[in-house]
Amino acid sequence: GLVVALVLVFTGVWQTGEWQLRVAHAAHENGNCTRALDGYQRVENGFQLSFSPSLMQRARAGAEACALLDRAREDVAVGKHDQALDSYAAYFEHPAAIWQDTDGEIAEIHYDFATDLTEEGEYREAQEIYAIIPVDYEGTPAAERVPEALTDLYDEATASYGTGHYCNGLEEIDGFAGLEWQ
């Protein structure tokens, strides 16, 4: 009877740990890493006696992936768009990455980055980033705003041509030579 009782206890502990892990994964999948990290930590701290190294490894891997996703979002919050894109790439390369960018969060980062480059007068680089959005992030709100942003970028970048300064205007237009326009 004692053996059966111990088996039932350990099975119950393991099942509870699995349930906690599923809850954490669901939060992670929805991009709620604050809630997911709490769940992963509960699994790691509370279920070490489950004798399931797989449970602990999956919780640690999920926590690592969520930390990468949080880092990427922090980069966005402080306006480091190019670094944020690298941070998101690191997240998606992690084997425990399960979040899906269903709301176009990464497309918005590209869009904001291109907008910042436009404001800094880096028109060619901005155009290259704008051109990526409708191809890689089709159907997102950012992709829908790209045609207007490209028109505004081109108007701003070639403003000399409209003022009658044709030599300057030709140089400005030449800055876009060889680029693909979607």
Side-chain angles (χ1 to χ4, degrees):
L2 182 59
V3 172
V4 171
L6 284 174
V7 168
L8 289 175
V9 168
F10 284 122
T11 301
V13 168
W14 174 74
Q15 284 296 332
T16 303
E18 286 291 334
W19 174 76
Q20 286 284 335
L21 191 60
R22 281 193 299 274
V23 170
H25 277 338
H28 181 177
E29 194 170 33
N30 290 326
N32 186 346
C33 278
T34 302
R35 185 168 174 218
L37 284 170
D38 287 343
Y40 290 137
Q41 288 172 349
R42 270 195 305 278
V43 170
E44 194 169 347
N45 294 334
F47 298 96
Q48 293 181 15
L49 294 178
S50 69
F51 296 111
S52 175
S54 168
L55 183 68
M56 302 306 291
Q57 290 169 349
R58 289 180 289 151
R60 286 184 187 124
E64 289 170 4
C66 260
L68 291 171
L69 183 57
D70 278 346
R71 184 175 308 130
R73 288 177 170 162
E74 288 170 15
D75 291 342
V76 171
V78 296
K80 296 180 179 179
H81 301 294
D82 53 345
Q83 186 174 327
L85 293 171
D86 291 341
S87 296
Y88 274 107
Y91 169 77
F92 285 117
E93 289 173 5
H94 194 282
I98 57 175
W99 171 72
Q100 300 294 318
D101 182 23
T102 56
D103 59 354
E105 190 172 311
I106 297 173
E108 289 296 329
I109 295 166
H110 278 82
Y111 189 90
D112 292 344
F113 186 31
T115 301
D116 289 350
L117 288 171
T118 300
E119 291 170 1
E120 295 169 5
E122 302 292 334
Y123 302 119
R124 185 177 181 90
E125 293 84 358
Q127 189 278 341
E128 290 171 343
I129 293 171
Y130 278 133
I132 292 169
I133 299 169
V135 174
D136 291 353
Y137 306 100
E138 182 180 4
T140 63
E144 293 172 10
R145 295 191 315 269
V146 166
E148 183 178 341
L150 283 172
T151 300
D152 293 344
L153 172 127
Y154 190 74
D155 288 345
E156 182 179 326
T158 60
S160 294
Y161 192 76
T163 63
H165 297 101
Y166 299 116
C167 291
N168 291 343
L170 289 174
E171 287 179 24
E172 292 169 351
I173 291 171
D174 193 43
F176 294 106
L179 293 177
E180 291 185 31
W181 293 83
Q182 301 294 329

